[in-house]
Amino acid sequence: MGEVHTEVFLLAVGVMLLVSLLVNRLGGRLGIPGLLLFLGVGMLAGSDGLGIQFQDYRLAQALGTLALCFILFQGGLDTNWAKTRPVVRRGLSLATVGVLVTAGVMAAFAHYAFGFPWLAAWLLGAIVSSTDASAVFSVLKERQLGLKGDVAPLLEFESGGNDPMAVFLTVGILELMANPELGVLSIVPLFVKQMLIGAVFGVVLGRAGLWILNRLQLQFEGLYSVLSLALALTIFAGTAVAGGSGFLAIYIAGVIIGNAEFIHRRSLLSFHDGLSWLMQVAMFLTLGLVVNPHELLPTAGLALACALVLVFVARPLSVYLSLARAKMPLNEKSMVAWVGLRGAVPIVLATFPLLAGVEQANTLFNIVFFIVLTSVLLQGTTLTLVARFLRVREALPEVTQYPITYTPTGHNKNEMVEVEVRAGSAAVGQRIMDLKLPPEALVILVHRAGEFLIPKGATELLAGDSLLVLAGETELREVEGKLHRPAGTV
């Protein structure tokens, strides 16, 4: 009997995943964010739809936490530190000041407009205060949306960095509700401790994880995926056990590892990209199952009002205040304000009051779920339109898919890099042999007009050619210097 139940459960999981992916494909053509469709499939399969009974909030919270661990790790791996470094200060401002302002505005609205007690109002504000990494990462990828200036790296850094702040605020307010005798200032040392430990552990364990990846000799390539999973879980949970923010630590560790060379880099990045998508689909399906749509109706008016205030007041105000001193065009700030997507993080945080036995927990959960639906539907479907209106949209650079891959061994410093021969370069019209490239630099392929040429010494370079070069860091800089040198210069 147990085997039958297990098989039925696995069948349900498989079918829901398949349906979600098929619906997501259709939604992509209609411009509907996949996250919204995943939630919808979960709700249709739930108690008000096909009748699947799932009200285990503790399991939903555990799954959500696990999913966020891998999503944030993947977000860190994908973060280009060279592009992100200039926006770190602004990103930290959004992840701290911005979260506080958003929570404060929402708390004031819930208190004065609907009579929520102050602590309950602040709890609602804290739960919906952060943008969602999974929502931002996935919607930007779905839309293939290129954004001018520092908008994209700022959004990605903010979404990866503000979750720890929202988690801390939620847990801190719940602590105050359980122990009214404690003052607000009593949670400040806890905040400093969590962020400091999270940052230190993220850096130290990230570097240690990178060292282990490159030094531990495993017999099969597939075991390196298992190793990376083990490292991510150890960094996240180890930091949390030590009293720090595991969310902050795993994101920082991902950034450190993702911006370094490590063995089987290409296959591991591909593996974690797929795992991140699986976690997103599973998380949104589970959260959709938890919700009973008929329970959303009584709070629909209140929730819609909160959602509109969040989108049109709280988020823009938090962005403009956080970036008040930043030298950033107004249209770029406005785009950052609009991409304030809420996703699974607020819904996962909304399970905290349910497990803590807070009196208004069910109402808060339904409001938060409605806010997330509104945010993804309203903001997620209009990103391209708003980017075009604000004139911050740009075409994404084409990524050439070479019919060759290079796997670093972890024991040398060679890199395989694509170098373009720009128009006006002194290299245009020159043969490769005449460029006098470093002997240690190997030109592997030449990409020209969609075709790949096997290079020879007599191969003449044209403007727009892309050379796939294998060399060390010093030699690569010399190659780039020769290929990018303007014509007529010595």
Side-chain angles (χ1 to χ4, degrees), residues 109-432:
F109 178 74
H111 175 73
Y112 290 113
F114 297 103
F116 275 54
W118 269 116
L119 279 179
W122 268 101
L123 182 59
L124 173 61
I127 290 172
V128 299
S129 60
S130 73
T131 57
D132 185 72
S134 61
V136 172
F137 293 148
S138 63
V139 171
L140 288 179
K141 285 180 180 179
E142 275 184 0
R143 293 290 176 268
Q144 290 290 297
L145 185 59
L147 298 172
K148 294 180 180 178
D150 296 329
V151 177
L154 181 57
L155 286 169
E156 292 181 356
F157 183 79
E158 178 206 7
S159 64
N162 62 11
D163 288 342
M165 184 70 172
V167 173
F168 167 77
L169 282 178
T170 302
V171 173
I173 293 170
L174 286 172
E175 184 70 20
L176 292 177
M177 296 179 79
N179 303 281
E181 68 278 3
L182 297 177
V184 175
L185 294 179
S186 65
I187 65 174
V188 174
L190 178 62
F191 170 75
V192 175
K193 173 187 173 184
Q194 284 195 359
M195 297 302 139
L196 185 59
I197 293 177
V200 172
F201 272 52
V203 172
V204 173
L205 295 181
R207 293 187 180 279
L210 180 62
W211 186 88
I212 292 172
L213 273 174
N214 283 329
R215 295 297 187 278
L216 187 60
Q217 300 295 314
L218 298 176
Q219 187 175 3
F220 303 106
E221 181 179 347
L223 290 177
Y224 284 91
S225 298
V226 181
L227 175 59
S228 65
L229 283 178
L231 290 173
L233 290 173
T234 301
I235 293 169
F236 175 79
T239 304
V241 170
S245 171
F247 295 105
L248 180 60
I250 194 62
Y251 180 70
I252 292 175
V255 172
I256 290 174
I257 295 174
N259 285 270
E261 286 298 329
F262 53 90
I263 191 168
H264 301 302
R265 176 185 174 87
R266 187 184 183 93
S267 62
L268 286 179
L269 290 180
S270 178
F271 167 75
H272 278 282
D273 184 54
L275 178 63
S276 176
W277 278 109
L278 174 62
M279 291 292 102
Q280 289 180 54
V281 175
M283 181 168 56
F284 278 87
L285 281 175
T286 302
L287 295 173
L289 285 172
V290 168
V291 173
N292 297 315
H294 73 271
E295 294 181 358
L296 297 176
L297 296 178
T299 58
L302 166 61
L304 181 60
C306 289
L308 294 178
V309 169
L310 176 64
V311 172
F312 292 105
V313 181
R315 171 64 179 177
L317 185 61
S318 69
V319 170
Y320 294 135
L321 287 177
S322 300
L323 302 179
R325 301 182 64 181
K327 294 180 180 179
M328 192 174 180
L330 181 61
N331 62 331
E332 292 185 11
K333 292 181 181 179
S334 299
M335 189 64 200
V336 173
W338 188 250
V339 192
L341 288 166
R342 269 61 189 175
V345 173
I347 302 176
V348 172
L349 291 180
T351 62
F352 284 42
L354 288 167
L355 297 176
V358 173
E359 184 178 348
Q360 295 175 298
N362 283 310
T363 300
L364 287 174
F365 185 88
N366 291 329
I367 292 174
V368 170
F369 194 90
F370 201 96
I371 287 175
V372 170
L373 287 178
T374 305
S375 173
V376 176
L377 183 60
L378 179 61
Q379 295 169 293
T381 57
T382 58
L383 287 184
T384 303
L385 181 64
V386 172
R388 189 182 298 118
F389 174 77
L390 293 174
R391 298 181 180 178
V392 296
R393 186 186 183 188
E394 66 179 6
L396 287 173
E398 291 187 10
V399 179
T400 304
Q401 298 295 327
Y402 284 92
I404 186 172
T405 60
Y406 168 65
T407 301
T409 63
H411 300 297
N412 57 44
K413 297 181 179 179
N414 286 338
E415 297 180 66
M416 191 165 68
V417 177
E418 182 181 9
V419 184
E420 182 183 1
V421 180
R422 299 171 181 170
S425 167
V428 175
Q430 296 284 325
R431 296 179 301 176
I432 293 178

